[in-house]
Amino acid sequence: MLPMRIQHLQRLGCRTLATEQSQISFKGKSIQTLREIGARWKEKTTNGVMLPTQFNEKDRKKRAADRMKDSMYILSMFPYPSGTLHMGHLRVYVISDSLNRFFKQRGYEVIHPMGWDAFGLPAENAAIARGINPADWTKQNIAKMKEQMNNMLANFDWDREVTTCDPDYYKFNQWIFLKLYENGLAYQKEAEINWDPVDKTVLANEQVDSNGISWRSGAKVEKRQLKQWFLGITKFAKDLRKDLYTLKKWPENVKTMQRNWIGESSGATLLFGTDNELFKHIQLFTTRAETLFAVQFVALSKEHPIVEHYAKTDPKLREFITIMDTLPDDSKTGYLLKDIKAINPLTKKKVSIFVAPYVIGSYGSDNEPGAAVMGCPAHDERDFAFWHENSPNEPIISCIDPFTLLEDDSITALNSPLPYTYDLGSMSEICAEYHGLATEAARASIVQKLRSENLGHTTINYKIRDWLISRQRYWGTPIPIIHCDHCGPVPVPEKDLPVMLPEVKTITAKGGNPLSQIPEFVNAKCPSCGSDAKRETDTMDTFMDSSWYFFRYLDPKNKELPFDPKLASRNIPVDIYIGGVEHAILHLLYARFISKFLGSIGMFDGAKFKFEPFKQLVTQGMVQGKTYINPENGRFLKPDEVELDTAKGHPIIKATGLAPQVSYEKMSKSKYNGADPNQCIAKHGPDATRAHILFQSPITDALAWDEVKIIGIERWLIRVIRHTMVLSKEQKYAFDYTTPSDMTDPEIEFHNEIQRLLKSITQGFDIYLSLNTVISDYMKFTNVLENAYKNKTVRKELQMLNLQKLISVIYPVTPSISEEAADILMKEQNGWENWNHYQWPSVEHITQTNFKKFQIVVDGRAKFYYTTEKDFFKKGRDHVIETLKHTPDGRKYLSDKTIKKFVMKFNIISFQFYKAKDLVKLEEAKQRKLERQQMGKNV
């Protein structure tokens, strides 16, 4: 049996066939499918027809006044050209394209570009596997993905297209690197790095998870010492953290992740002396200078110069350093340096020095190499555990008497076991002149004293480390440095950019550095002295490519500069940036850094926005697929292994008849739960697919993809086309008809409901980005139009006026359906050539009626409604009662009854009547009263 909605459409003359065809018929004649409508308008909708010149200058400025500029920069994160778009791509591009079309309709000059994040390991690994050049593989994939974007009707500014592996683009990667180098923000040094043994390349800290696993290959990362290139992001750490407060339209969870990654600790830098003349001091940072009285050791990282010095003559130390990388992260094993001790700057006491795995070298900053921490077993859990393992027979020295608050807010001493790690307390009797001081006061006083002795100073320390950009791979931007035996590292002159990647037919294997194996690339002349020299053979981290691409979109053909500073000053920050939350730390942090750096060298005027690149960030939720799991063995099931048990109404496993476990999980080939966007579009048409992906979930929530439910969207789109056909054939209309001033009450109600929906739709795009509710409002809008036609209480001209508005407002989401409906109207109506269905309709005022609906309540229950003039009450109680009694409902509920109580309030008219027994009692009481009166007369 067909669903009720389809039966209703059939009765009205509109027939739909199977969902796969989305067939539209009118009065028995087949028209076309939703898929065919999409194909018919594909070229027009993807190329775009809306230009700001369609709107007069005054109107355009008025629409843009609330944003302080008449342009909008809407950007979705550009994809890696893997060859196929997945549902996650489809979701983000439908969101950005819908916003793009909406703002164009409102008169904004919209920048909506697309490009390709084309360098990187996946292309290189794919080229190795296929025995081809990664450039060829990348170009093929770009062509495929661009066609998929056209299939989904994405209206991108393809004249702004950038591809990061194009020399015209990576030339300016190198230009930016050279500017960083000139400003002391690009440097090379020997450092311990994360080495991916599978992909044979260096990884930044951010590319390794908390378990030491590579984010890309899944391999356990190794530690190695290599000479590497770094960018000085730590110089901008303060601004990167502080300026997060300006990003009012960023998700709080993203700002929190960035804030935590950057880190910020207020404390002191202290100088511990040593009893070895070779080492004047050990510099370390602490947030708790008051615990200096309890310091019992100093722990050094293996990179520290003191450790490196003693390792030269101590084979056991060298052996310990070798095994440190194999120890777990929580290891408390240490190595005591016997020939040197540290001297406490406050107490002047000597303490032991250990080499400890938990102390991480400070590579990536411009501090002295290596790292050191002071060990306070009494007041730090990690130090307590380390001391217990390495000096188990030594006492633990405490310098803080702990306190606790009582219920009456008084303070008392607390006998707390060690370690005592809380700030609340007072300095103990071993602390000399600081005895009895609160810890906070003692901390400030101690730092002040050490500062006066040049042994310490207040410091704000950041957890973030400088950005390691060296990669030992071929498919990336060559670092523009030439190494000369006479001159050292020499930057390639700007006139010689780009340093081109040498062409290779194939990359045969991983391992080593591919560029170092190409003599014609490596051998060069020193730009400074002309001597024989060697090119740098590392390539840049591909996050460098994506750290500024949004600037290049503004000026993609510029041969002299990365972009015109005037264009950047006008359009940066990006108004709306859409992409996955998985880029919350890496890409977004690096993009903010490069943007602030470019601002600092005068490449654009972004001081008003603190040189931040993205004004509003939208992180769309992940697309999840329906996943079937065999409960017997946990194996993921293919869709063809499962069927629907129609009797029980749930899926079963064909082979066993058991019910599978069903859940929604991230789409993956291994889970057999993926959905091909191309197949969905080919089956249901682009418009239904676009609307369905927006309708299923708020854009920031995970989307549980269920293609079965798309039939509801298809029915709605068919109704829009069908209603357009029906109404357009009724009569001839003027395309510029406006809302009349003489509307009847039903027309006023119709008008007001349309305005409420139009306002909600507009705000759904412009303010709330609640695109799922926009689709819901589209459907309600259609219902209001259909009901008006069915009830025949609204004049046809007013119906047509608002059908025009519906056709305009659905354009952002379902552009080819909008084009089809507009085409129907223009063909049926003469003289409609000047109707601009691309212009967004304005929300009109809600119209007030002179009439009011009153609710009539009888003995506490609502019985009927009566509609009359608003000033009904002013005519008096008797008029109201008599008027209501003579209505059909009044004769039924009010006649032949005696009023006990009557109330008129707001839109409520309440009657309370005497019941029959009450009337008898009332009559008896009257009779007794008369009798008493008569008796009084007789007396």
Side-chain angles (χ1 to χ4, degrees):
M1 184 173 179
L2 290 174
M4 292 295 293
R5 173 63 65 182
I6 296 181
Q7 293 180 27
H8 173 63
L9 290 175
Q10 288 180 338
R11 287 195 297 271
L12 291 176
C14 182
R15 182 170 59 86
T16 177
L17 299 181
T19 303
E20 291 80 2
Q21 298 178 353
S22 306
Q23 185 80 36
I24 301 174
S25 298
F26 182 62
K27 294 184 177 179
K29 180 182 178 182
S30 176
I31 308 298
Q32 55 194 328
T33 64
L34 297 177
R35 184 178 63 244
E36 290 168 342
I37 291 175
R40 178 183 176 188
W41 298 103
K42 179 178 177 180
E43 182 177 357
K44 186 175 185 180
T45 54
T46 53
N47 290 338
V49 295
M50 299 173 296
L51 299 173
T53 52
Q54 292 176 304
F55 306 90
N56 63 61
E57 187 67 16
K58 181 179 178 181
D59 185 49
R60 188 162 65 91
K61 288 184 177 180
K62 180 181 178 182
R63 294 169 186 272
D66 61 332
R67 294 181 181 272
M68 300 180 69
K69 63 178 184 178
D70 57 7
S71 64
M72 284 289 293
Y73 191 171
I74 299 171
L75 181 64
S76 50
M77 293 182 183
F78 64 171
Y80 184 80
S82 60
T84 56
L85 294 179
H86 53 65
M87 277 295 175
H89 288 125
L90 182 66
R91 189 179 196 195
V92 69
Y93 301 146
V94 168
I95 293 167
S96 72
D97 187 54
S98 298
L99 293 172
N100 156 56
R101 295 176 190 272
F102 166 76
F103 283 108
K104 282 181 177 177
Q105 284 183 276
R106 297 197 75 196
Y108 291 90
E109 182 180 351
V110 179
I111 300 170
H112 186 230
M114 180 48 63
W116 311 97
D117 192 9
F119 271 141
L121 277 172
E124 186 163 334
N125 290 343
I128 291 171
R130 293 164 174 79
I132 60 173
N133 187 304
D136 297 334
W137 187 81
T138 301
K139 290 175 183 176
Q140 294 169 10
N141 290 344
I142 288 174
K144 294 176 186 176
M145 293 174 73
K146 188 179 288 190
E147 179 56 32
Q148 285 184 286
M149 290 179 179
N150 287 335
N151 289 342
M152 58 173 282
L153 309 183
N155 172 225
F156 290 119
D157 301 336
W158 289 114
D159 56 335
R160 297 181 182 272
E161 181 180 10
V162 300
T163 305
T164 60
C165 66
D166 189 321
D168 286 342
Y169 184 87
Y170 70 71
K171 167 184 177 178
F172 295 109
N173 266 2
Q174 295 168 344
W175 185 93
I176 293 171
F177 176 91
L178 292 179
K179 293 301 178 185
L180 288 160
Y181 188 85
E182 289 174 15
N183 287 272
L185 294 172
Y187 62 93
Q188 189 181 33
K189 72 171 186 176
E190 190 88 10
E192 183 184 75
I193 52 83
N194 303 304
W195 180 260
D196 187 320
V198 173
D199 283 328
K200 308 292 184 184
T201 192
V202 169
L203 300 175
N205 278 357
E206 295 89 338
Q207 294 168 309
V208 181
D209 70 17
S210 58
N211 297 315
I213 302 300
S214 166
W215 73 299
R216 174 70 71 180
S217 71
K220 181 71 175 178
V221 169
E222 301 172 359
K223 298 292 185 179
R224 292 189 180 183
Q225 287 287 129
L226 285 176
K227 203 168 187 180
Q228 302 290 293
W229 284 95
F230 296 87
L231 300 183
I233 192 173
T234 53
K235 296 287 188 181
F236 288 80
K238 180 180 179 181
D239 288 341
L240 287 169
R241 194 175 194 279
K242 176 173 63 71
D243 293 345
L244 287 169
Y245 84 92
T246 66
L247 303 177
K248 307 297 185 184
K249 293 187 176 183
W250 277 43
E252 283 302 321
N253 65 319
V254 173
K255 291 191 287 186
T256 298
M257 283 188 277
Q258 290 224 351
R259 193 175 289 115
N260 292 341
W261 187 263
I262 297 167
E264 183 178 278
S265 302
S266 296
T269 297
L270 307 179
L271 297 180
F272 276 64
T274 77
D275 60 1
N276 186 313
E277 295 178 352
L278 294 175
F279 302 101
K280 185 177 180 180
H281 63 254
I282 300 172
Q283 178 177 296
L284 55 79
F285 173 83
T286 180
T287 59
R288 301 194 63 191
E290 76 276 11
T291 62
L292 271 168
F293 289 99
V295 171
Q296 294 186 259
F297 67 93
V298 168
L300 306 178
S301 73
K302 66 181 182 181
E303 297 85 11
H304 199 281
I306 291 177
V307 178
E308 292 179 346
H309 171 76
Y310 283 101
K312 294 175 183 177
T313 57
D314 187 344
K316 290 185 177 180
L317 175 57
R318 290 197 299 271
E319 182 181 351
F320 179 74
I321 292 173
T322 301
I323 68 168
M324 281 178 69
D325 291 337
T326 65
L327 297 174
D329 294 339
D330 59 351
S331 172
K332 300 303 181 290
T333 302
Y335 187 89
L336 176 64
L337 299 179
K338 297 179 180 179
D339 298 328
I340 186 171
K341 288 188 181 294
I343 301 173
N344 190 315
L346 185 64
T347 67
K348 310 306 179 184
K349 293 180 179 179
K350 294 183 179 181
V351 296
S352 300
I353 299 177
F354 288 88
V355 184
Y358 71 81
V359 183
I360 301 172
S362 61
Y363 80 83
S365 71
D366 57 0
N367 298 330
E368 64 178 43
V373 299
M374 64 185 204
C376 302
H379 304 300
D380 184 275
E381 291 181 357
R382 184 182 58 185
D383 295 345
F384 179 84
F386 183 86
W387 188 247
H388 179 74
E389 181 167 331
N390 293 277
S391 300
N393 299 320
E394 295 292 328
I396 293 177
I397 301 171
S398 172
C399 69
I400 298 174
D401 291 330
F403 285 82
T404 186
L405 288 172
L406 299 178
E407 291 183 1
D408 62 356
D409 292 336
S410 62
I411 300 178
T412 185
L414 173 70
N415 293 321
S416 173
L418 294 175
Y420 181 76
T421 60
Y422 301 101
D423 280 348
L424 183 64
S426 66
M427 305 303 288
S428 71
E429 61 183 0
I430 73 167
C431 301
E433 71 266 30
Y434 302 101
H435 180 209
L437 276 181
T439 51
E440 186 174 353
R443 184 183 309 145
S445 182
I446 289 169
V447 173
Q448 181 62 34
K449 178 180 180 179
L450 293 175
R451 183 175 183 176
S452 68
E453 298 174 359
N454 293 321
L455 293 173
H457 56 84
T458 56
T459 306
I460 295 178
N461 200 33
Y462 295 94
K463 184 175 70 174
I464 189 174
R465 293 293 177 255
D466 278 350
W467 178 8
L468 192 164
I469 65 164
S470 287
R471 296 294 181 270
Q472 291 68 42
R473 305 303 301 168
Y474 166 78
W475 194 233
T477 299
I479 293 176
I481 293 290
I482 294 175
H483 297 280
C484 174
D485 291 339
H486 304 288
C487 306
V490 180
V492 173
E494 195 174 314
K495 65 181 179 61
D496 293 337
L497 298 182
V499 177
M500 297 281 288
L501 269 180
E503 290 189 14
V504 294
K505 292 183 178 180
T506 60
I507 302 174
T508 55
K510 302 176 185 177
N513 188 323
L515 289 180
S516 67
Q517 301 169 25
I518 306 175
E520 55 269 32
F521 175 81
V522 174
N523 297 322
K525 294 293 183 181
C526 174
S528 180
C529 69
S531 301
D532 290 341
K534 304 288 185 182
R535 287 193 187 279
E536 174 62 58
T537 57
D538 284 352
T539 52
M540 296 185 201
D541 179 7
T542 54
F543 279 112
M544 186 69 177
D545 306 342
S546 58
S547 68
W548 70 281
Y549 75 107
F550 42 91
F551 284 100
R552 185 64 176 174
Y553 278 145
L554 302 174
D555 197 11
K557 305 297 189 295
N558 197 324
K559 300 291 185 181
E560 305 301 321
L561 290 171
F563 51 87
D564 184 338
K566 292 181 180 178
L567 291 174
S569 299
R570 171 180 166 79
N571 294 291
I572 300 295
V574 172
D575 291 283
I576 303 174
Y577 192 34
I578 309 163
V581 74
E582 64 271 18
H583 299 294
I585 294 175
L586 299 176
H587 160 59
L588 291 172
L589 186 61
Y590 295 149
R592 293 179 63 219
F593 162 54
I594 294 298
S595 179
K596 288 179 182 295
F597 167 70
L598 291 171
S600 73
I601 62 172
M603 280 300 290
F604 76 107
D605 180 12
K608 179 180 179 182
F609 297 100
K610 305 291 186 181
F611 300 102
E612 288 291 337
F614 311 118
K615 185 176 183 181
Q616 180 174 4
L617 177 67
V618 178
T619 53
Q620 88 284 353
M622 186 179 297
V623 180
Q624 299 173 328
K626 185 177 284 189
T627 309
Y628 299 103
I629 302 173
N630 190 324
E632 294 183 312
N633 53 25
R635 183 175 67 85
F636 292 107
L637 299 168
K638 297 178 181 178
D640 59 8
E641 295 181 88
V642 179
E643 65 182 357
L644 180 65
D645 186 330
T646 54
K648 297 180 180 179
H650 62 70
I652 59 171
I653 302 172
K654 292 179 181 178
T656 63
L658 295 174
Q661 297 172 3
V662 182
S663 62
Y664 280 90
E665 299 184 28
K666 180 181 178 181
M667 289 186 176
S668 166
K669 291 180 180 178
S670 63
K671 296 176 182 177
Y672 309 111
N673 64 349
D676 185 345
N678 261 2
Q679 290 181 4
C680 187
I681 292 170
K683 187 176 180 181
H684 304 284
D687 299 85
T689 303
R690 287 166 61 103
H692 182 54
I693 204 166
L694 294 181
F695 185 48
Q696 286 190 91
S697 173
I699 60 179
T700 56
D701 290 357
L703 189 160
W705 180 254
D706 188 351
E707 196 170 316
V708 173
K709 296 179 181 178
I710 199 172
I711 190 172
I713 295 291
E714 291 177 317
R715 292 169 184 163
W716 163 62
L717 293 175
I718 290 169
R719 287 166 51 206
V720 172
I721 296 298
R722 186 256 170 204
H723 186 71
T724 304
M725 293 176 177
V726 171
L727 193 61
S728 65
K729 290 181 178 296
E730 290 283 325
Q731 62 183 55
K732 297 301 178 183
Y733 306 90
F735 77 88
D736 53 357
Y737 181 80
T738 58
T739 302
S741 58
D742 60 342
M743 290 187 288
T744 64
D745 276 359
E747 288 177 336
I748 290 173
E749 186 176 349
F750 168 82
H751 167 82
N752 289 347
E753 183 60 25
I754 292 293
Q755 299 314 308
R756 282 188 285 268
L757 287 168
L758 187 55
K759 180 180 179 180
S760 177
I761 292 167
T762 304
Q763 291 181 339
F765 280 110
D766 191 30
I767 300 175
Y768 304 115
L769 293 187
S770 54
L771 303 189
N772 59 318
T773 65
V774 165
I775 309 300
S776 176
D777 287 337
Y778 284 164
M779 296 176 179
K780 293 175 184 177
F781 201 135
T782 308
N783 290 340
V784 172
L785 291 174
E786 288 181 333
N787 289 336
Y789 179 80
K790 178 182 176 182
N791 296 333
K792 299 180 180 179
T793 55
V794 177
R795 71 190 78 175
K796 296 288 177 56
E797 292 82 0
L798 191 55
Q799 293 183 44
M800 176 56 72
L801 169 65
N802 288 287
L803 173 60
Q804 291 172 257
K805 293 178 180 180
L806 175 64
I807 292 170
S808 294
V809 299
I810 66 172
Y811 183 85
V813 178
T814 59
S816 56
I817 295 298
S818 177
E819 293 284 4
E820 180 70 15
D823 187 61
I824 291 170
L825 292 186
M826 291 180 183
K827 287 179 177 177
E828 291 293 336
Q829 302 295 317
N830 295 324
W832 275 47
E833 295 80 8
N834 293 325
W835 174 43
N836 181 7
H837 66 284
Y838 303 118
Q839 187 162 353
W840 192 264
S842 299
V843 179
E844 300 176 22
H845 292 296
I846 297 294
T847 300
Q848 298 294 324
T849 176
N850 292 324
F851 293 86
K852 189 174 183 179
K853 181 185 287 187
F854 295 90
Q855 185 182 57
I856 314 303
V857 177
V858 178
D859 292 332
R861 294 187 178 185
K863 292 298 184 182
F864 64 95
Y865 290 91
Y866 179 67
T867 301
T868 186
E869 295 88 350
K870 287 182 177 180
D871 60 355
F872 188 38
F873 289 173
K874 291 182 179 180
K875 296 181 179 180
R877 165 193 169 111
D878 292 341
H879 175 80
V880 170
I881 293 173
E882 288 303 314
T883 301
L884 292 175
K885 280 185 176 182
H886 288 85
T887 65
D889 288 316
R891 285 191 288 270
K892 179 179 178 181
Y893 294 108
L894 309 178
S895 296
D896 303 323
K897 294 183 179 181
T898 302
I899 298 173
K900 182 178 181 181
K901 187 177 181 181
F902 177 75
V903 177
M904 297 185 301
K905 192 173 184 180
F906 303 118
N907 67 327
I908 304 292
I909 301 173
S910 176
F911 290 86
Q912 187 176 354
F913 294 116
Y914 283 106
K915 297 179 181 178
K917 61 180 181 179
D918 294 331
L919 288 173
V920 171
K921 291 180 181 179
L922 183 63
E923 190 61 34
E924 289 175 349
K926 287 182 179 179
Q927 187 62 37
R928 287 194 296 271
K929 182 178 180 180
L930 288 173
E931 289 175 355
R932 286 195 298 270
Q933 291 175 345
Q934 188 64 40
M935 288 175 63
K937 289 179 180 180
N938 292 338
V939 172

